[in-house]
Amino acid sequence: MTNQYQTEHYRELDALHHLHPFTSHKSLRTGGARVIVRGDGPYIWDSEGNCILDGMAGLWTANLGHSRKELAEAAYKQMLELPFYNTFFRTTHPPVVALSRKLAEIAPDNLNQVFYGSSGSESNDTAIRLIRHYWALKGEPKRRIIISRKNAYHGSTIAAASMSGMAHMHAHSYPLYEGFRHIMDPYWYGEAKSGETREEFGLRAARALEDEILAVGPENVAAFAGEPVQGAGGVKIPPANYWPEIQHIVDKYGMLFLADEVITGFGRLGTWFASEYYGIRPNLITFAKAVTSGYLPLSGVMVDDDIVDMLMDNDEDFNHGYTFSGHPVACAVALKNLEIIERERLVPRVRDFGAPALAKMLAKFKDHPLVGEVRSVGLLGAIELVADKRSRRRFADLGRVGLICRDHFFREGFIMRAVFDTMVMSPPLIWEQKQFDEAEAVIRRALDLTLSDVAGEVAA
Ligand SMILES: Cc1ncc(COP(=O)(O)O)c(C=O)c1O
């Protein structure tokens, strides 16, 4: 284990040479980064020896937990066999073939072909290009607009950030790509009008899609894109009637449907893909993160037969691809990851054990004075922190109290992420009751400590 001196050393060098994602570098330089040195199953350790329960599975990623030997062995074996070869110029290799076959088997029936990348952002860039290319090949090149939602997160490349609905990211895009529109997100707790039921709100949020289609002209609309559950936007779980209504509208206007399953894929909701959970029929599914449980970077787009047929009927190249599309070692690790998830029956286990255990644990905080709402689906959960439970009034300076709470979690040895004042979690699929019990104890302590920090601001 590294000692205190080394922690300071790492912090200093980190501040001097490492620009972190989505970070205020000024405040990082003052506070210093936490140095994480080891992971094992549901836990990680920092350089000062603190053991931390990882309630975020890395970053919605480590579905199998940390440091599985079998995944390391799969990588080692493949590295000795064929560490890298590209998939351009009519070449392929056994791991990419086997993984593509496996993904076709577990994805919805109409999705049988995969285009690979290394990150969720890349997979969404690929999807955007494929969608527009499809319509051009079909003789409808005007169909370019992709409608997504406010607060959606589809990635950080300029195209994926343009499709995302995050105003603070749009502000840093200089400028955005054209051809994206953003409708309201299905966030009942935050957006419902006074007295509006979940069902009424669900229909209103879904029908915003039809309003937007009519506003821009159906002949210009290429696709609708959405995360089945908005993750980075705050684990926003749509009302039950939302997705059926969206699917109905998508069908009515004959547009494509892209489901971004970068967070929800590979068992998180107790089904291989959330599309199955919600009964939606996307033409494209983007995935990343948990396909390898994060042990190596790999992503992709699953594409439906109709889009593939259109590509097949065309003699020209599809001018798109990445050096690491279908990286052999990443594919070998993904195959082993999926094999273990299957062998340990982790997908039905989420449905039968993990999801109810998380819901039960979160429900214990409903009555806490700081908590406006708790919600979960599968192994995605959220706790809304509010100044007034009854009126749902937020704290002044949105995000401030979320950070206070997140820091208490950290100090207590637990990772939960703050999305403004919404605390979100996404534990590995392997959590036992022991981890849910540990999380419950830490959440209680951290909420109480946060309450004492902001007591004067909380409605009696
Ligand atoms: C739904 C969704 N799509 C895309 C991305 C982008 O993935 P990456 O960070 O691998 O580019 C993320 C990242 O969290 C995500 O949550």
Side-chain angles (χ1 to χ4, degrees):
M1 187 61 63
T2 40
N3 61 27
Q4 175 67 26
Y5 169 74
Q6 283 165 316
T7 301
E8 292 313 321
H9 179 67
Y10 279 123
R11 283 198 177 138
E12 204 176 307
L13 291 184
D14 187 75
L16 282 174
H17 301 297
H18 178 196
L19 292 173
H20 292 236
F22 286 93
T23 295
S24 151
H25 294 96
K26 191 172 168 192
S27 76
L28 181 68
R29 188 164 278 219
T30 340
R34 184 164 216 173
V35 185
I36 304 298
V37 293
R38 195 160 74 84
D40 187 12
Y43 302 101
I44 54 172
W45 280 262
D46 70 14
S47 55
E48 288 163 336
N50 298 304
C51 175
I52 303 157
L53 178 63
D54 182 6
M56 280 302 296
L59 195 55
W60 328 88
T61 297
N63 279 13
L64 278 189
H66 301 281
S67 305
R68 278 279 181 137
K69 206 167 166 208
E70 274 182 273
L71 294 187
E73 283 165 354
Y76 180 71
K77 191 161 163 258
Q78 185 58 44
M79 279 190 191
L80 292 179
E81 185 91 16
L82 177 71
F84 174 67
Y85 199 73
N86 71 72
T87 53
F88 290 49
F89 323 126
R90 298 188 175 206
T91 55
T92 192
H93 51 71
V96 78
V97 174
L99 179 62
S100 307
R101 171 77 192 156
K102 184 70 199 167
L103 289 168
E105 186 190 310
I106 62 176
D109 283 352
N110 60 324
L111 306 179
N112 290 303
Q113 304 251 354
V114 198
F115 195 108
Y116 292 97
S118 303
S119 68
S121 307
E122 285 175 356
S123 67
N124 280 314
D125 274 34
T126 300
I128 292 163
R129 188 165 266 173
L130 267 173
I131 287 167
R132 291 183 174 155
H133 191 55
Y134 167 86
W135 287 114
L137 290 176
K138 216 171 166 176
E140 296 186 62
K142 275 178 66 191
R143 279 196 181 251
R144 289 174 51 81
I145 292 177
I146 297 177
I147 301 175
S148 77
R149 282 120 21 114
K150 294 193 173 124
N151 295 309
Y153 186 66
H154 297 296
S156 221
T157 53
I158 298 181
S162 304
M163 187 160 80
S164 300
M166 301 209 158
H168 57 285
M169 291 183 72
H170 292 172
H172 286 188
S173 290
Y174 312 117
L176 291 183
Y177 280 126
E178 286 179 7
F180 296 94
R181 296 284 189 284
H182 301 94
I183 58 172
M184 67 186 291
D185 51 347
Y187 180 29
W188 178 77
Y189 185 77
E191 302 280 340
K193 295 176 185 158
S194 159
E196 196 175 26
T197 64
R198 277 179 208 269
E199 288 63 37
E200 288 161 351
F201 174 77
L203 275 191
R204 179 161 73 88
R207 287 185 183 157
L209 173 59
E210 183 154 33
D211 294 344
E212 193 63 33
I213 294 170
L214 295 175
V216 297
E219 69 285 4
N220 298 315
V221 177
F224 171 73
E227 307 148 80
V229 179
Q230 274 190 0
V235 179
K236 291 173 179 162
I237 303 166
N241 57 356
Y242 178 79
W243 283 118
E245 185 64 14
I246 289 278
Q247 182 71 59
H248 169 73
I249 296 166
V250 163
D251 292 346
K252 181 169 168 189
Y253 292 96
M255 57 210 271
L256 296 178
F257 185 175
L258 162 60
D260 178 342
E261 296 235 27
V262 165
I263 281 179
T264 51
F266 310 105
R268 187 142 293 283
L269 300 198
T271 45
W272 276 113
F273 290 93
S275 297
E276 194 185 328
Y277 182 91
Y278 284 114
I280 48 179
R281 298 183 308 282
N283 307 92
L284 309 99
I285 287 182
T286 45
F287 66 85
K289 294 184 184 275
V291 66
T292 62
S293 280
Y295 284 56
L296 280 175
L298 182 73
S299 70
V301 194
M302 301 280 319
V303 187
D304 82 5
D305 300 341
D306 187 29
I307 298 175
V308 172
D309 288 349
M310 195 57 74
L311 290 176
M312 301 274 182
D313 281 350
N314 181 33
D315 292 330
E316 281 175 30
D317 287 359
F318 174 50
N319 296 313
H320 178 79
Y322 310 105
T323 299
F324 291 150
S325 287
H327 190 289
V329 183
C331 288
V333 170
L335 266 172
K336 185 54 79 178
N337 177 56
L338 299 179
E339 183 191 310
I340 299 173
I341 291 178
E342 225 165 16
R343 190 178 73 214
E344 297 186 358
R345 299 187 46 75
L346 292 178
V347 178
R349 187 174 178 277
V350 170
R351 184 192 62 210
D352 299 336
F353 166 69
L358 177 63
K360 194 168 157 209
M361 189 268 281
L362 289 175
K364 298 193 175 156
F365 301 108
K366 269 200 311 220
D367 297 328
H368 192 280
L370 269 187
V371 174
E373 183 189 65
V374 296
R375 56 178 177 268
S376 66
V377 59
L379 282 178
L380 287 172
I383 302 176
E384 296 276 3
L385 306 181
V386 286
D388 185 344
K389 293 169 81 91
R390 275 180 297 268
S391 67
R392 300 188 183 178
R393 181 170 53 81
R394 303 276 177 185
F395 288 99
D397 196 7
L398 194 64
R400 176 179 51 95
V401 177
L403 287 187
I404 295 175
C405 187
R406 188 193 67 181
D407 288 347
H408 282 307
F409 281 139
F410 254 1
R411 279 191 287 271
E412 296 287 322
F414 181 50
I415 290 184
M416 220 164 145
R417 176 171 166 191
V419 177
F420 299 105
D421 291 341
T422 309
M423 309 309 297
V424 300
M425 65 186 289
S426 158
L429 313 191
I430 53 157
W431 268 23
E432 309 275 350
Q433 190 54 48
K434 178 175 183 292
Q435 281 80 40
F436 286 103
D437 292 345
E438 286 171 11
E440 182 187 331
V442 179
I443 293 172
R444 186 169 307 287
R445 281 200 300 277
L447 286 178
D448 289 347
L449 288 166
T450 308
L451 179 61
S452 64
D453 290 342
V454 298
E457 302 172 53
V458 177

